[in-house]
Amino acid sequence: MNSGYAVPAVALVVVATVLVGAFGLRISRTTSDFYVASRTVGPRLNAAAISGEYLSAASFLGIAGLVLVQGPDMLWYPVGYTAGYLVLLLFVAAPLRRSGAYTLPDFAEARLASQAVRRLAGAFVVGVGWLYLLPQLQGAGLTLQVLTGAPDSLGGVIVAVVVVATVAAGGMRSITFVQAFQYWLKLTALLVPALFLILAWQGDGAPSHAFEEPATFREQRVVRVGDSLDLKLDRPLTVTVDGTVDGRSHTDTALRLHAGTHHIDAGTLLTFAAGDPVPEADRRSDAGLSPSQAESRGERPLYATYGLILATFLGTMGLPHVVVRFYTSPHGVAARRTTVAVLGLIGAFYLLPPVYGALGRLYAPELTLTGDADAAVLLLPDRVIGGLGGDLLGALVAGGAFAAFLSTASGLTMAVAGVLTQDVLPSRGVRHFRLGTVIAMAVPLAASALVGGLPVADAVGLAFAVSASSFCPLLVLGIWWRRLTPPGAAAGMLVGGGSALVAVAATMAGFPGSGAVRALLAWPALWSVPLGFLTMVLVSLATPGRVPAGTAAILARFHLPEELRTEVKA
């Protein structure tokens, strides 16, 4: 890819983000503007803003990378991400807006009248937010590295600086305009190149073997192994090797590799002939890298699929950057209309990443070996079209990718900073909110340098699992079950969300190496979500005397339309 076009495109997106945020700052005059845009954001603008912040690095880069590596089974990711809004529409959107809360901890305190539950909810908001921010920064680093060869930490630093400046300066009012603008930019950045890629694919004879197992090289390809790995071969394969394989050094040697596992040292060049199958790469032996969820999927495919479905369907309603946007709606009806519009907007977007993943299996299959599958979206315009047209389309994709990181990171930073300001820092004023913004971004920025190569979609999937196990039971039971008690809510979040968080930590640390236990930890939602619900119900039933006074009135406020409540009061 020609960085002479891509780098200016990224710079233009950054400048446009700052200018649009500055426009929001000019009309942000009150504290309510700063935190919830004075609850005046209409359904169309709010839907575009929610879609803009929801379509993250996992959506823009990660889904295509997963489809490239794993094939059509990964289409459950976009299906789950979209269907999560249907669950949100049916059970949560309007009552949550009518609660009058600013954040999830505010909702917990309003429903249960408990400071302890509020603090616990705040801790989970911060944990989920940081876990979700991590892949945004990693994706930005990958994008800039692919474009310019810059250190992989530089992209994350740029995103962090721009987001902190935008959020701290204008708050919710600014990022609403920024995220709405960035949704349409991201849609354009994937749609226009996709049309040209499909036309080029048709002109290439429309090869139809994109999802054959395994993927094959369409032409001779030299692959440089960045980090040491193990190659798994189902049948013997001859490759030209310049480097170290199985502990032996070779220089431009045609080496016959037998079926089985072969260890390839970092820096080795492997030359594959046209028609060669792409070997499966196993990086579990690399110290410091998290094992991919793809490994456990290969061992327990049905369990992994159901775990993914449950996490994405139920995790959306508890994502802090999504939930906080419903507090900006004027009323419950507007919140529902916003959710319906979001379903259409993100559904349209999610038609595109699988196209890039399928074409990546044809034109860039070596990315499964280099560990850069998430870069398929960035590389395909140059690989398929080439020339000036490929460079310009690649620049458009690069700009859209950076918009994805900026918009999602803005929403997450806003949500986490709001909780830090209200529940951790000594004051709730705008000045302390700006300090909270810096803290909200500093922690995941430091962690991104330590975690390293976790695929962006895997990391986001883990955040969904924690969200589904902690906030989904709290919101559903808090809105629809009058017998929920503070001890029950706290126990459910701790048991469900805490167990999912432990599973996430174990997965990211690479423990255990194999077997059923690894599948349980890599896809925890299938057991942690029911565990959270069950614990919340049982502990609440065991503490009936702790049901807060006035629960009936609180639930009436959640469910009655605003105009009807006004008439009742009158």
Side-chain angles (χ1 to χ4, degrees):
M1 180 185 295
N2 189 340
S3 60
Y5 295 99
V7 172
V10 170
L12 187 60
V13 168
V14 172
V15 171
T17 297
V18 173
L19 293 178
V20 174
F23 172 76
L25 174 61
R26 289 183 60 191
I27 61 175
S28 181
R29 297 182 175 88
T30 67
T31 302
S32 181
D33 273 337
F34 201 85
Y35 283 107
V36 290
S38 292
R39 304 186 192 271
T40 58
V41 183
R44 278 188 263 182
L45 177 59
N46 213 10
I50 291 173
S51 302
E53 69 178 349
Y54 187 65
L55 298 172
S56 63
S59 299
F60 202 93
L61 300 180
I63 291 175
L66 286 174
V67 171
L68 189 160
V69 176
Q70 296 294 315
D73 285 350
M74 295 297 100
L75 295 179
W76 276 114
Y77 271 97
V79 170
Y81 290 157
T82 305
Y85 273 94
L86 182 60
V87 179
L88 185 65
L89 170 66
L90 294 175
F91 296 107
V92 173
L96 188 63
R97 167 58 188 90
R98 295 184 188 118
S99 71
Y102 281 83
T103 62
L104 278 169
D106 285 342
F107 168 83
E109 184 181 18
R111 172 63 178 85
L112 297 165
S114 169
Q115 280 291 324
V117 176
R118 178 193 177 94
R119 286 192 291 269
L120 183 60
F124 274 102
V125 166
V126 173
V128 171
W130 281 344
L131 187 61
Y132 210 132
L133 268 168
L134 185 61
Q136 313 312 314
L137 301 176
Q138 288 184 331
L142 171 66
T143 299
L144 208 62
Q145 184 183 44
V146 169
L147 296 178
T148 67
D152 56 9
S153 60
L154 182 58
V157 171
I158 293 174
V159 167
V161 171
V162 174
V163 166
V164 168
T166 303
V167 174
M172 183 63 79
R173 183 71 76 179
S174 284
I175 68 170
T176 295
F177 291 108
V178 166
Q179 290 165 341
F181 157 73
Q182 288 172 337
Y183 167 77
W184 295 109
L185 174 60
K186 285 183 281 190
L187 182 64
T188 302
L190 278 191
L191 178 60
V192 173
L195 295 176
F196 283 94
L197 290 173
I198 291 172
L199 290 174
W201 171 63
Q202 291 288 328
D204 195 27
S208 59
H209 59 281
F211 289 124
E212 285 184 2
E213 293 293 346
T216 59
F217 293 97
R218 300 181 69 248
E219 58 187 26
Q220 180 176 306
R221 181 71 64 187
V222 178
V223 178
R224 184 183 185 278
V225 177
D227 296 300
S228 61
L229 53 81
D230 292 333
L231 288 186
K232 296 180 179 179
L233 301 179
D234 294 328
R235 59 180 186 227
L237 180 67
T238 300
V239 297
T240 302
V241 178
D242 188 356
T244 304
V245 176
D246 295 330
R248 295 183 179 180
S249 181
H250 302 272
T251 302
D252 291 328
T253 303
L255 185 63
R256 181 76 170 173
L257 301 177
H258 59 76
T261 302
H262 301 270
H263 187 75
I264 314 297
D265 283 3
T268 298
L269 297 178
L270 302 176
T271 303
F272 295 89
D276 282 348
V278 180
E280 179 184 351
D282 180 5
R283 289 181 172 78
R284 282 178 294 169
S285 59
D286 293 338
L289 288 183
S290 303
S292 172
Q293 289 177 310
E295 295 172 358
S296 59
R297 173 175 286 278
E299 298 170 355
R300 304 286 192 277
L302 188 60
Y303 174 83
T305 297
Y306 284 125
L308 168 63
I309 291 172
L310 197 63
T312 52
F313 276 38
L314 301 182
T316 300
M317 71 174 66
L319 294 177
H321 64 305
V322 170
V323 172
V324 74
R325 292 227 58 96
F326 287 97
Y327 302 136
T328 66
S329 295
H331 43 71
V333 174
R336 278 205 176 100
R337 289 173 179 168
T338 296
T339 311
V340 172
V342 169
L343 278 167
L345 292 177
I346 65 175
F349 180 91
Y350 278 132
L351 295 174
L352 300 173
V355 173
Y356 285 84
L359 293 177
R361 292 173 69 84
L362 290 173
Y363 295 97
E366 76 281 359
L367 295 179
T368 62
L369 302 182
T370 63
D372 294 329
D374 290 331
V377 172
L378 302 170
L379 296 176
L380 277 174
D382 178 67
R383 189 69 59 84
V384 179
I385 298 173
L388 178 60
D391 290 338
L392 293 176
L393 292 174
L396 180 59
V397 171
F402 240 74
F405 313 136
L406 290 169
S407 58
T408 301
S410 296
L412 288 165
T413 303
M414 181 80 198
V416 173
V419 171
L420 292 175
T421 304
Q422 295 192 44
D423 297 300
V424 178
L425 298 177
S427 172
R428 298 186 178 186
V430 171
R431 179 168 161 241
H432 283 83
F433 175 85
R434 288 168 175 154
L435 174 60
T437 301
V438 174
I439 298 172
M441 180 57 75
V443 173
L445 183 62
S448 67
L450 301 176
V451 174
L454 187 66
V456 292
D458 282 4
V460 169
L462 295 173
F464 269 76
V466 176
S467 171
S469 305
S470 54
F471 290 125
C472 176
L474 176 67
L475 288 168
V476 171
L477 295 179
I479 290 171
W480 297 99
W481 192 45
R482 66 177 61 248
R483 299 176 68 180
L484 181 67
T485 66
M493 281 195 291
L494 280 173
V495 173
S499 60
L501 197 59
V502 169
V504 166
T507 299
M508 295 177 74
F511 175 85
S514 61
V517 176
R518 179 174 67 183
L520 291 171
L521 295 179
W523 307 92
L526 206 56
W527 53 269
S528 60
V529 172
L531 189 60
F533 270 103
L534 184 63
T535 303
M536 211 169 276
V537 169
L538 292 179
V539 175
S540 293
L541 292 176
T543 56
R546 298 292 300 278
V547 174
T551 294
I554 292 172
L555 291 179
R557 188 176 76 200
F558 290 175
H559 295 286
L560 290 177
E562 287 82 356
E563 61 274 12
L564 182 59
R565 296 203 324 254
T566 303
E567 293 174 6
V568 170
K569 289 180 182 178

